[in-house]
Every structure is written in structure tokens, then in C-alpha cells.
Amino acid sequence: MTQSHPRISKAVIPAAGLGTRFLPATKATPKEMLPVVDKPAIQYVVEEAVAAGLGDVLMVTGRNKRPLEDHFDRNYELESALQKKGDAGRLAKVQESSDLAMIHYVRPGDPKGLGHAVLCAEPHVGHEPFAVLLGDDLIDPRDPLLQRMIDVQEQYGGSVIALMEVAPEQIHLYGCAAVEATEDSDVVKVGGLVEKPDAADAPSNYAIIGRYVLDPNIFGILRTTEPGRGGEIQLTDALQQLAADEKTGGPVHGVVFKGRRYDTGDRGDYLRAIVRLACEREDLGPDFRTWLRSYVAEEMQGR
């Protein structure tokens, strides 16, 4: 039976990571600011939150993340220069990022993992359910995953995680969920979770991807969660407690996502994401696809 639960209005974006897989590019530039075609990855994530009705965004950042704040702030000198040149198109693009949402920032000091980053959001979030969006996962706007997760949370309460089926040999790269079916074909009940298990120990091939809708009771659990894998406070460990004891903060459900997802956390996948998105752009796609076909044909002949 459908129940009534508080409407979600806030999104949290953890952005305190060092981006070591992209060194030396991320030595002075936050990984979230690396361009995906002509927009930084972080802007795609904020746009996704806003499209789902979450206009109040908290970014958990660090001392080398000032460019994030600058990107979503006004740049009056640049706007004035574009206005004088009559470049209305680029002016609109520059202003778009500063008008997207009400964005707040908090710096946790010594980052201790994803669970710690989420815990730092407690003063801002309060006692409301909220969404968490990880910047390494870009979800195609034509496949509104976050909105579906919000709908599921409003129906069932508790927390909701995003899941994708992956090959068994890849499950060690993800958090993994033990699941059982529900009446909805794309929704499963989560009975347990484990962070980056060996393939032989994985309870399923349902991998957790970077979208969560969380019950605020998660904060109480995170405050007492000991560091886990990698010496970090793992959000997966806290969600495991919620799944094991529904009285703590309601059930945990998963939305099984079969849409388009672009992984920008890995160098190879980051490049593939750029190619895929560039190919689909109306302004870039036709010429780029023609060049790409020619390049691939030449490479195959060279072999």
C-alpha cells in the first residue's frame, strides 16, 4: 500500500576526493572540474539534481576545491566582456551554471571516506530524507533515475539505492547488494550489502552505483560506524545496518537501472563518456562522427 512520506528537497554531492587516478591533471584542478566535452563533470550532476526537483544542493568539498565554488558563482568580468561582444550564446552558458541551484559548501577537514562526507551533511539536511549524488557517475537526462528513486522512497519510505547488473568479474569494483523481488519490476528489496566483495563471495551481480536517497536515521548509524574497507567510513556499512534492522530507519530498496550511465572516475571510461556524449550533440555530432568513422577505419587498416 502506498504511504505518505516527507518530500525530498535537498541533494548532497560529496566532492572531497583527491582524484589520484587522474594525476597529474588533478594536482591543481579538482577532478570534478575536468571537462566532459565543454562542461565540467560536476555541472552534469547538479543539473540532474535540479531536474529531479532538488534545488537545494550541499557540496562536501576540501581545501583544493575552490574552483567548484568559482564555477557556480557569478563572473561579472567575463559576463561583461561577452555582453560587449554581443556573444549571447556563450553569455547564457556562463550564467547558466550560476543560476542552476542554491548551492552550499562544507569542508570536512580530514576526509575519512564517503560515509564521513555524508555525515558532514547532517547540520544542513536535518531530519529530512535527502539524495546523495556521486560525481563520478553521470546519468543521461533521458533516463531519469533520480526521480524514479524519489518516487520509490515516497512509496516505501526508508532508503533507496541505485543498482546496475554487472558482469561477475567486475563486482569486486563495487558495493554489492543481496536482493529479493517486489511487485515493481525495477524495484528490489535489499536484504544486505557488502563493499567490493570478491566474485566468489558476492551475494549477487547487482552493483551499487552513485545515487542514493537516504533516510535521516543514517546519520546516527554513521556516527558509530567504524572505519571499514580501505580504512574509511563506508556508507555501505551503514546501509547494511539499516537493511538488517528496519526499525532503525525503514527498509532499504533498490532501483535497478538499465539506462545510460557514463563513468568519469576511470580514465578509459572518462574518454569513452566524452566520445559518446560528443557523438550525440547536435552541434558537434555530425562532424565528429564522420571524423571518428574515418579514424577508426584508418586504424583498422593499419593493423
Side-chain angles (χ1 to χ4, degrees):
M1 182 175 65
T2 300
Q3 303 177 39
S4 177
H5 300 281
R7 176 68 187 177
I8 297 167
S9 63
K10 296 177 180 177
V12 175
I13 302 177
L18 298 176
T20 53
R21 284 180 287 183
F22 283 85
L23 286 170
T26 50
K27 179 181 178 181
T29 302
K31 68 172 184 175
E32 296 85 4
M33 289 300 297
L34 295 177
V36 181
V37 188
D38 55 3
K39 282 192 300 190
I42 193 70
Q43 184 169 334
Y44 289 87
V45 179
V46 175
E47 288 173 350
E48 180 187 350
V50 172
L54 311 183
D56 186 330
V57 177
L58 176 71
M59 290 192 190
V60 184
T61 67
R63 54 183 170 273
N64 64 331
K65 304 289 185 168
R66 180 62 185 271
L68 295 176
E69 299 182 35
D70 291 341
H71 178 71
F72 291 102
D73 198 359
R74 298 291 297 273
N75 187 328
Y76 293 102
E77 295 82 359
L78 177 58
E79 292 179 25
S80 177
L82 292 172
Q83 198 165 29
K84 288 178 181 177
K85 290 173 62 176
D87 195 339
R90 287 190 174 89
L91 177 60
K93 289 182 179 180
V94 168
Q95 292 176 331
E96 180 184 13
S97 60
S98 57
D99 295 335
L100 267 176
M102 179 65 70
I103 302 181
H104 314 266
Y105 303 89
V106 62
R107 290 167 58 166
D110 182 18
K112 301 174 184 176
L114 177 57
H116 180 245
V118 171
L119 182 57
C120 290
E122 183 178 15
H124 182 78
V125 169
H127 300 289
E128 304 173 19
F130 62 103
V132 174
L133 298 86
L134 304 191
D136 287 347
D137 283 318
L138 305 187
I139 304 298
D140 195 294
R142 293 167 293 184
D143 302 312
L145 169 62
L146 185 57
Q147 183 59 65
R148 176 60 176 150
M149 294 175 68
I150 291 172
D151 293 342
V152 170
Q153 197 279 336
E154 290 180 343
Q155 178 180 358
Y156 291 102
S159 297
V160 181
I161 62 177
L163 301 173
M164 282 190 75
E165 289 190 79
V166 301
E169 60 269 20
Q170 292 182 317
I171 197 65
H172 71 282
L173 300 172
Y174 300 88
C176 177
V179 304
E180 58 185 74
T182 71
E183 295 179 354
D184 297 303
S185 61
D186 65 333
V187 179
V188 293
K189 177 79 175 295
V190 176
L193 301 107
V194 58
E195 182 67 19
K196 297 182 179 179
D198 293 333
D201 300 325
S204 74
N205 64 333
Y206 283 102
I208 305 169
I209 59 174
R211 298 294 180 270
Y212 308 81
V213 176
L214 300 177
D215 184 274
N217 283 291
I218 195 77
F219 294 128
I221 296 175
L222 285 169
R223 280 194 293 272
T224 60
T225 299
E226 295 293 328
R229 192 179 183 95
E232 298 182 335
I233 298 174
Q234 297 289 348
L235 180 60
T236 303
D237 292 342
L239 284 167
Q240 163 63 26
Q241 291 192 45
L242 284 180
D245 182 8
E246 294 186 11
K247 295 179 181 178
T248 303
V252 178
H253 286 85
V255 170
V256 180
F257 182 62
K258 298 182 179 180
R260 287 156 284 200
R261 166 183 173 257
Y262 312 107
D263 184 357
T264 62
D266 172 83
R267 289 175 298 174
D269 286 338
Y270 170 74
L271 293 173
R272 284 185 279 273
I274 293 174
V275 171
R276 291 173 64 184
L277 289 169
C279 284
E280 295 181 0
R281 286 269 293 263
E282 292 183 3
D283 56 339
L284 297 172
D287 288 342
F288 185 69
R289 289 193 299 269
T290 298
W291 172 84
L292 188 59
R293 292 190 191 100
S294 175
Y295 174 75
V296 171
E298 292 175 1
E299 285 293 300
M300 293 299 292
Q301 289 175 1
R303 293 184 181 182

